[in-house]
Amino acid sequence: MTKLNPKVEEWLLNPPPGSKAAAAKEFGIDLTLLIGTLRMTPTERLKSLQVSMESLEEFARQAQIWREKNHDKSRIRNRNLS
Amino acid sequence: MIKVESAIATLVKNNVEFVIVGGIAITAHGSAYITKDLDFCYLRSKENLKNIVSALASFKPRPRGFPENLPYIFDETTLQNATNFTFETELGDIDLLGEVAGIGNFVEVEASSILMDLFDYKVKVLSIEGLILAKRAAGRPKDLLVLPELEAMQESLKNQDAE
């Protein structure tokens, strides 16, 4: 973890009107997340990305399992109704 | 999903001349953006094509969407016959770019790169300025979405440098 310049942190937390940071915040970018990643070293950022990718892949896998089970249940329900 | 450290390691260990561009570069600079693939721009010299083959062949690269029942030969001749490639490999999805929109060929991309310490390696990564040019030139909705954050990062780093 590296130390982020406090003035940069303040700039991103309270972006001055008309700045690019203000435009990004207005656009919907969560600048507190950006502060968090800017505190890291590039290697730490890529390691964090790897963890995020693995979590998302696992989430997608579990969601697929849930959809398949749910689909089976709704097929049984529809069969019982008809 | 790309295995980032392993992909970078094999490229460096095989002396590939490359610059990381795209989502991994954006993340390395500090964005919270999430990507799934590794894009890199490469020098199209004979030696470098040979080194790319040495680096990636064992991970069985095949063009994404290529029919599974058809054979695909990944060698220097294949790399000579086109400029940009989108591969799926055992390391994940890897895109090889001979040139980058908005910047140019490897020499120009390298001139717009900075050297970063990634894992245990010194790796060339496209600068934030370069990424902004490339994303503007690509112009797809997904590229334009990352521009406000990149511009905010560029601005905040300029402020840091001015200290």
Side-chain angles (χ1 to χ4, degrees), chain B residues 90-106:
Chain B
E90 289 177 351
L91 289 172
D93 292 339
I94 299 179
D95 294 356
L96 279 61
L97 308 171
E99 50 194 45
V100 175
I103 302 179
N105 64 16
F106 176 81

Side-chain angles (χ1 to χ4, degrees), chain A residues 2 6 13-14 18 20 34 37-38 42-44 50 54 57 59 62-63 68-69 73 80:
Chain A
T2 56
L13 279 174
N14 298 298
K20 297 285 186 187
L34 181 57
T37 50
L38 286 176
T43 298
E44 286 169 340
Q50 191 77 61
E54 284 164 11
E57 198 164 277
F59 179 79
Q62 293 297 333
E68 283 168 8
K69 275 185 187 168
K73 278 183 192 165
N80 291 342

Side-chain angles (χ1 to χ4, degrees), chain A residues 11-12 18-25 27 29 31 34, chain B residues 26 31 128-129 131-133 135-136 143-159:
Chain A
W11 180 278
L12 290 172
S19 65
K20 297 285 186 187
K25 190 175 180 180
F27 185 74
I29 304 293
L31 295 176
L34 181 57
Chain B
I26 290 172
S31 168
I128 296 179
E129 291 75 14
L131 285 164
I132 290 172
L133 286 175
K135 291 295 174 186
R136 274 200 195 123
D143 297 303
L144 300 177
L145 278 174
V146 300
L147 274 177
E149 189 180 29
L150 285 172
E151 287 170 345
M153 286 160 62
Q154 182 186 37
E155 179 187 64
S156 65
L157 289 173
K158 272 185 188 161
N159 288 337

Side-chain angles (χ1 to χ4, degrees), chain B residues 59-66 86-90 92-94:
Chain B
F59 301 105
K60 303 186 174 84
R62 290 174 62 82
R64 290 202 290 278
F66 195 70
T86 56
F87 289 122
E88 55 187 8
T89 77
E90 289 177 351
D93 292 339
I94 299 179

Side-chain angles (χ1 to χ4, degrees), chain B residues 114-132:
Chain B
I114 62 165
L115 207 56
M116 272 191 188
D117 287 309
L118 297 180
F119 304 101
D120 292 326
Y121 312 103
K122 298 268 185 206
V123 182
K124 288 173 191 152
V125 177
L126 187 57
S127 65
I128 296 179
E129 291 75 14
L131 285 164
I132 290 172

Side-chain angles (χ1 to χ4, degrees), chain B residues 18-32:
Chain B
F18 70 104
V19 176
I20 297 180
V21 300
I24 298 285
I26 290 172
T27 302
H29 280 292
S31 168

